[in-house]
Amino acid sequence: MNRYPIWKYVVIALAIAFGLIYTLPNFFGESPAVQVSSAKATVKIDTAVLGRVEQALTAAQVAHTGVQLEGTSIRVRLKDTDTQLKTKDVLARALNPDASDPVYVVALNLLSASPQWLTSLHALPMYLGLDLRGGVHFLLQVDMKAALAKRVDATVGEVRGLLREKNVRHAGIVRNGNAVEVRFREEAAAERARGLITDANADLQVVEGPAEGGERRLVVTLKPAAERTLLDNSVTQNITTLNNRINELGVSEPVIARQGADRIVVQLPGVQDTARAKDILGRTATLEARLVDLSAEGQSAITSQGPVPFGSELFRQGRGAPVVLKKEPIFTGEQLTSAAATFDENQRAAVAISLNDPAGRRLREVSRENIKKPMAVVLFERGRGEVLTVATIQSELGSRFQITGMDSPQASNDLALLLRAGALAAPMEIIEERTIGPSLGADNIRQGFNSTLYGFIAIAAFMIAYYLVVGFISTVALAVNLLLLVALLSLLQATLTLPGIAAIALTLGMAIDANVLINERIREELRNGATPQAAIATGYERAWGTILDSNITTLIAGVALLAFGSGAVRGFAVVHCLGILTSMFSAVVVSRGLVNLWYGRRKKLTSISIGQVWKPKGA
Amino acid sequence: MEFFRIKADIPFMRHALVLNAISVALFVAAVAFLAVRGLHFSIEFTGGTVMEVAYPQAADLTKIRDTVGGLKFDEVQVQNFGTSRDVMIRLSIEKGVTSAQQSETVMAALKAVDPAVELRRVEFVGPQVGKELATDGALALLMVIIGIMIYLAFRFEWKFSVAAIIANLHDVIIILGFFAAFQWEFSLSVLAAVLAVLGYSVNESVVIFDRIRETFRNKRKMDTVQVIDHAITSTISRTMITHGSTLMMVLAMLFFGGPTLHYFALALAIGICFGIYSSVFVAAAIAMWLGVKREDLIKPVKKKEGAEAELP
């Protein structure tokens, strides 16, 4: 009766094999590597850069164990830390001729040293949280009110400009909270304005406000959908901006992610210099559109290194550079209300730009006088300008215009992003900050590991002493539980934190409950005079209902923690929940399989090695 | 080896009244401590800045206090953390000064006095985050209670679910009472421990309830009190061994887990001890006071008329 069908053994064997394979990468440690990523918004990492890296390595005769292009960075794996430092210098010199203005970030990194076949199975080491590896964590709150206010201000200008353009007489335009109120003395004007506004911008909605003193009032607001898109875009834009800036820090694996509706998490593993990190997060960049200086002096300044004419400036960085631009800006980044990738009438990729009213007016004047002449957009950061684009003015431009002639939709997308990302869409505030020194991280790993180890040894010793062979089987089942849990955590790449390690320990301590329940039941059956085989069968069977009930209540607590917890609590809950699931499998299925394997085949089993079974006299 | 050689059922319920009185007394004391002293919330809940710095030799707290005190921040706490070389500095939130500036000023001042000081950790939590965490924590607690009650009512009976929740909330309140009485720091991880204890000790009650149901089914001659006594007696050895094992793990964390896991492990240890007590003496007793009957658990099988007639 205590036999498992073959398929159950196969399932157990497969589970253990899975556990071993996915736990394995955690034992290989990490090997030194050098990572190359882009420092400039306009520079992309591609196979051409990969070629340059390989060339530089061959030229300097650096022995490496592999060069890979992964996503937006190139990684060079190396044998030891000495070559790592040397390689960093070699690559930095080769890729950044001008050290004061690096185009590429060359950073030291650690990569998992597990063999290629494991990596190709997606078997990676557990992803350690910042509290275990050290680094900086920021939680930023995007000020949505400010983003909205900026948009409403732009709408005021937009409506005013529109009404003036179409000669609609109004009695005043004011901003009222997040709405724009337009008053009219004449009925017809109001009706016309209403049509004009909704036609001009599909994002706006117009409702009738309460009339006052014989004046009709129209209330213009953003449609809820447009408002959501705006807020969404501001967060995405801020993330893009942060991404560009953090690249400069040369962090190997930064995490910049959205959290909830209006928050951004920034995690910089290994960074200790919080001051610099914070400075970079909070920096403001400016965007300026300028005319190209086409004068002979200006043009000669590019080629012959002659003096740059007064009132002009020479830019060497970016697309279309070198170029000499007039110093006076036509419009600036703050006046830009949106930039989006689109297509022109010939279905070529283009970028649609809209400006606020004053900037639109200014551009109209300037463009009228400079048709067929080039204009450039420059991004200033840290006092240095980078040319984003140089485009020829085809006709008189207004507050809405297009930059056409882009190579691909990808290129127009990039430019739109850059134009928008010049500045933060909305101000941000650091609402949570955590810095963990590398020594503390290492301490946390060691202490978490040690407590789990000692606890496990204590439980194992007790179980074996108290339940003998069956106790040993329980211990093996507990070890399988640990194996499966670590494998699952590695497979899911869930972030392991110190509370997570604590949850591993606690889950192991609690998982032994199922085996104690089973073993006590078996003893009880033996005490009541059951045969050993019958005692095993009934013991497992009766204990199962109890195990299920008790694990489900624990799981309810775990899931609630997962749903409502944050930070430390969530890290704990993830591991706790997974651990409960693996423990049910290992404590019931695996231990039963082992017991069946050990005892189930013997037809005439006279005793089970489960420790002393005491029987009260006369019972 | 067999620790528990029990000849006859132990009359646990005979002393139920006395033990429940003790529970009530402990509960009241815990509530009193919570009301009078309150919990010593970590900055995760209150908002503020915490810095952890390490010195190569034993740190001179008075000197550090003077140095940091000289910076004219509103509220500063300096204390040892873990070892005599590690120091924890807590700063309250100040309007107009960002956390970055705060921690940098403090670090610069400390470096000026002793350049060997090393920054181990900085944590800043804004006030709005703290409020959210507190709300989320309360919500999590509520959801755990509701979820467990529904499950138990479904699997057993409402009397059991009420009994289990009262017994285990009593555990939670007592843990919190300890934290209030000794002014131990109540952090997010302690909250996680408290909620884990809630799930864990309900699990304990479930094991006993399961046995009560089984005993009702098998031993038809026993009355309710005897059934409860029998169920507790037959599970007591499992209760002690399981909790002993879990406690070993938790103690390993308490002793080897370092200062970060200290209060987490402490909350668990207290919770486990009281979890045993409350499951054995409180949960079953409350179920008894609520008047559980055999019929509550074992639905009388309605005989289908005619079903028997068909049998030969």
Side-chain angles (χ1 to χ4, degrees):
Chain A
M1 59 165 96
N2 291 319
R3 297 271 184 91
Y4 257 0
I6 293 293
W7 70 265
K8 277 205 179 178
Y9 286 119
V10 173
V11 168
I12 295 174
L14 282 179
I16 294 177
F18 157 82
L20 284 174
I21 289 175
Y22 284 92
T23 302
L24 207 55
N26 293 299
F27 294 104
F28 281 100
E30 289 172 319
S31 64
V34 172
Q35 177 172 317
V36 178
S37 49
S38 165
K40 295 273 171 197
T42 46
V43 176
K44 290 218 149 190
I45 298 287
D46 51 21
T47 41
V49 185
L50 185 69
R52 280 174 66 194
V53 168
E54 276 169 345
Q55 223 171 10
L57 290 175
T58 334
Q61 293 179 332
V62 174
H64 58 83
T65 51
V67 183
Q68 280 165 305
L69 174 65
E70 270 173 48
T72 55
S73 66
I74 293 171
R75 288 159 186 192
V76 185
R77 284 166 185 275
L78 300 152
K79 286 222 171 55
D80 50 64
T81 44
D82 284 348
T83 24
Q84 187 189 21
L85 291 173
K86 193 180 143 203
T87 312
K88 186 189 168 205
D89 290 344
V90 166
L91 289 181
R93 260 200 312 271
L95 295 172
N96 298 325
D98 178 8
S100 66
D101 180 30
V103 181
Y104 297 96
V105 176
V106 182
L108 299 179
N109 193 4
L110 289 171
L111 291 177
S112 161
S114 53
Q116 191 61 45
W117 65 274
L118 275 176
T119 315
S120 61
L121 283 173
H122 203 71
L124 305 164
M126 283 187 279
Y127 185 78
L128 298 184
L130 281 183
D131 58 344
L132 297 182
R133 57 161 128 179
V136 199
H137 161 107
F138 292 110
L139 185 61
L140 300 153
Q141 169 100 45
V142 180
D143 189 349
M144 290 301 194
K145 273 193 197 138
L148 203 59
K150 207 167 142 188
R151 182 69 179 80
V152 175
D153 279 338
T155 310
V156 173
E158 199 180 321
V159 171
R160 182 172 288 134
L162 185 73
L163 297 184
R164 185 184 321 111
E165 200 176 309
K166 304 286 181 193
N167 280 322
V168 182
R169 286 171 58 105
H170 59 83
I173 300 177
V174 284
R175 190 186 145 188
N176 188 359
N178 284 334
V180 179
E181 280 185 7
V182 193
R183 281 176 292 126
F184 297 94
R185 292 210 184 82
E186 298 154 37
E187 198 75 8
E191 282 312 313
R192 241 190 105 205
R194 178 192 272 258
L196 281 173
I197 292 167
T198 39
D199 284 350
N201 193 337
D203 286 345
L204 297 177
Q205 61 183 12
V206 184
V207 290
E208 196 79 28
E212 200 178 86
E215 286 182 335
R216 264 190 74 177
R217 213 184 290 193
L218 292 182
V219 179
V220 184
T221 48
L222 273 180
K223 283 182 184 163
E227 201 171 299
R228 265 197 306 279
T229 326
L230 168 78
L231 299 185
D232 237 36
N233 283 347
S234 342
V235 176
T236 343
Q237 179 178 335
N238 279 11
I239 289 179
T240 317
T241 312
L242 287 180
N243 248 320
N244 290 339
R245 292 183 186 173
I246 281 164
N247 268 341
E248 268 174 50
L249 276 171
V251 181
S252 51
E253 282 170 60
V255 174
I256 302 155
R258 184 175 187 162
Q259 184 176 347
D262 55 358
R263 286 185 182 167
I264 299 172
V265 177
V266 177
Q267 293 194 334
L268 311 172
V271 170
Q272 294 306 319
D273 190 353
T274 41
R276 187 159 141 67
K278 271 179 260 185
D279 166 52
I280 283 183
L281 293 184
R283 194 169 57 211
T284 48
T286 51
L287 192 75
E288 285 183 8
R290 301 182 180 191
L291 279 176
V292 175
D293 186 350
L294 291 173
S295 65
E297 297 96 318
Q299 289 309 304
S300 72
I302 299 174
T303 46
S304 65
Q305 310 276 316
V308 180
F310 183 75
S312 288
E313 223 176 328
L314 175 62
F315 291 91
R316 295 199 171 274
Q317 285 290 338
R319 292 183 189 125
V323 65
V324 176
L325 302 180
K326 300 232 169 93
K327 270 190 179 161
E328 189 195 1
I330 310 168
F331 61 87
T332 61
E334 288 98 71
Q335 298 171 305
L336 191 131
T337 50
S338 89
T342 177
F343 292 95
D344 64 6
E345 57 274 22
N346 302 322
Q347 292 309 308
R348 282 176 310 170
V351 178
I353 293 173
S354 51
L355 301 174
N356 68 10
D357 207 35
R361 237 175 299 151
R362 168 111 177 93
L363 180 63
R364 183 166 303 138
E365 285 163 24
V366 174
S367 59
R368 195 184 298 143
E369 291 154 18
N370 290 287
I371 289 180
K372 299 293 169 199
K373 284 184 188 161
M375 172 181 92
V377 181
V378 191
L379 177 69
F380 287 93
E381 236 176 347
R382 283 179 300 165
R384 225 192 317 254
E386 188 181 356
V387 181
L388 295 183
T389 181
V390 179
T392 309
I393 300 169
Q394 300 293 355
S395 59
E396 186 186 314
L397 304 172
S399 56
R400 287 164 165 255
F401 65 99
Q402 289 187 335
I403 299 178
T404 56
M406 311 293 300
D407 295 336
S408 62
Q410 178 66 39
S412 62
N413 239 330
D414 286 350
L415 181 62
L417 207 59
L418 282 171
L419 289 173
R420 276 186 278 135
L424 293 170
M428 286 191 292
E429 186 194 355
I430 298 178
I431 54 170
E432 197 182 271
E433 178 200 328
R434 211 167 284 141
T435 310
I436 294 107
S439 59
L440 183 63
D443 282 358
N444 280 344
I445 293 185
R446 190 175 43 78
Q447 286 166 337
F449 179 79
N450 280 352
S451 44
T452 312
L453 180 71
Y454 298 144
F456 187 90
I457 291 174
I459 290 179
F462 173 77
M463 288 303 278
I464 295 172
Y466 198 73
Y467 294 116
L468 305 179
V469 171
V470 177
F472 177 74
I473 290 175
S474 305
T475 308
V476 173
L478 194 62
V480 171
N481 183 15
L482 178 61
L483 187 73
L484 291 179
L485 184 53
V486 174
L488 265 184
L489 289 174
S490 307
L491 180 67
L492 298 176
Q493 288 289 295
T495 309
L496 186 73
T497 55
L498 188 61
I501 297 184
I504 294 181
L506 186 66
T507 307
L508 289 182
M510 287 165 65
I512 200 66
D513 174 45
N515 287 104
V516 173
L517 267 171
I518 294 166
N519 298 349
E520 283 296 311
R521 264 302 162 109
I522 295 177
R523 275 190 181 188
E524 207 180 313
E525 294 299 320
L526 289 172
R527 194 175 298 136
N528 293 339
T531 62
Q533 295 286 16
I536 292 174
T538 351
Y540 271 94
E541 196 186 304
R542 290 224 173 138
W544 168 244
T546 312
I547 293 170
L548 190 68
D549 274 337
S550 61
N551 275 314
I552 286 180
T553 49
T554 322
L555 201 57
I556 290 174
V559 170
L561 279 180
L562 196 59
F564 296 100
S566 50
V569 174
R570 188 176 280 261
F572 173 83
V574 171
V575 182
H576 194 51
C577 289
L578 287 176
I580 292 166
L581 297 178
T582 54
S583 82
M584 290 223 272
F585 174 76
S586 62
V588 179
V589 182
V590 175
S591 83
R592 182 75 193 268
L594 290 169
V595 168
N596 284 358
L597 211 56
W598 190 257
Y599 289 116
R601 298 181 179 281
R602 303 190 213 169
K603 280 222 170 99
K604 289 194 175 165
L605 184 66
T606 49
S607 68
I608 312 172
S609 171
I610 194 167
Q612 186 189 11
V613 178
W614 178 83
K615 290 186 189 182
K617 274 175 198 155
Chain B
M1 230 190 320
E2 171 111 46
F3 289 155
F4 303 95
R5 307 179 173 193
I6 302 156
K7 290 199 183 81
D9 290 345
I10 305 165
F12 288 104
M13 289 303 116
R14 189 186 295 162
H15 309 295
L17 200 61
V18 180
L19 289 163
N20 284 10
I22 295 176
S23 286
V24 170
L26 271 175
F27 187 85
V28 169
V31 170
F33 274 122
L34 282 171
V36 177
R37 293 193 138 183
L39 286 171
H40 175 54
F41 284 109
S42 72
I43 60 140
E44 284 155 326
F45 293 105
T46 59
T49 305
V50 158
M51 297 173 66
E52 210 184 299
V53 294
Y55 285 89
Q57 69 290 329
D60 183 355
L61 285 189
T62 6
K63 213 159 99 191
I64 299 173
R65 259 185 215 124
D66 289 347
T67 315
V68 182
L71 297 172
K72 306 250 185 306
F73 286 125
D74 270 353
E75 200 183 309
V76 183
Q77 268 178 45
V78 178
Q79 66 196 75
N80 274 119
F81 180 67
T83 67
S84 63
R85 282 168 296 148
D86 294 321
V87 180
M88 193 159 92
I89 303 164
R90 280 160 153 263
L91 307 163
S92 58
I93 291 184
E94 242 166 280
K95 288 238 162 73
V97 184
T98 66
S99 75
Q101 290 161 348
Q102 257 187 345
S103 59
E104 272 149 33
T105 338
V106 171
M107 212 45 216
L110 291 180
K111 275 241 162 82
V113 177
D114 183 354
V117 63
E118 181 202 353
L119 181 67
R120 297 261 281 177
R121 181 170 75 107
V122 176
E123 209 171 314
F124 160 76
V125 178
Q128 70 269 53
V129 179
K131 248 183 234 147
E132 265 173 41
L133 287 180
T135 332
D136 281 358
L139 210 55
L141 185 67
L142 197 69
M143 293 319 286
V144 170
I145 292 171
I146 292 174
I148 289 175
M149 281 191 77
I150 291 175
Y151 182 74
L152 289 184
F154 168 72
R155 274 292 279 181
F156 296 93
E157 223 251 305
W158 71 267
K159 284 169 193 157
F160 283 97
S161 86
V162 171
I165 283 301
I166 294 180
N168 298 308
L169 277 183
H170 145 273
D171 296 353
V172 167
I173 297 292
I174 288 176
I175 301 178
L176 295 182
F178 268 97
F179 273 79
F182 295 101
Q183 289 291 299
W184 292 331
E185 190 179 66
F186 189 85
S187 64
L188 258 189
S189 50
V190 174
L191 179 70
V194 167
L195 291 175
V197 161
L198 190 57
Y200 180 69
S201 93
V202 167
N203 151 354
E204 180 58 42
S205 311
V206 166
V207 172
I208 292 172
F209 291 167
D210 239 19
R211 254 316 161 89
I212 293 177
R213 177 164 56 187
E214 201 186 309
T215 317
F216 267 131
R217 208 173 277 154
N218 296 340
K219 316 249 171 179
R220 299 203 162 255
K221 281 180 195 150
M222 289 184 175
D223 62 20
T224 305
V225 175
Q226 278 173 325
V227 164
I228 295 177
D229 282 343
H230 178 80
I232 298 177
T233 308
S234 42
T235 50
I236 191 79
S237 107
R238 172 261 159 199
T239 304
M240 300 311 290
I241 293 172
T242 296
H243 287 293
S245 302
T246 315
L247 203 56
M248 279 198 276
M249 207 41 138
V250 170
L251 290 180
M253 259 191 262
L254 190 61
F255 295 127
F256 304 110
T260 328
L261 286 183
H262 184 78
Y263 289 120
F264 173 80
L266 203 57
L268 282 175
I270 299 171
I272 289 169
C273 294
F274 276 92
I276 307 177
Y277 164 79
S278 70
S279 305
V280 172
F281 297 113
V282 185
I286 293 173
M288 189 176 78
W289 301 135
L290 288 173
V292 273
K293 291 189 296 286
R294 186 180 311 267
E295 293 72 38
D296 290 340
L297 290 167
I298 302 154
K299 299 278 171 289
V301 187
K302 282 177 199 156
K303 278 186 188 168
K304 283 181 197 159
E305 284 177 31
E308 272 173 313
E310 278 173 30
L311 294 168

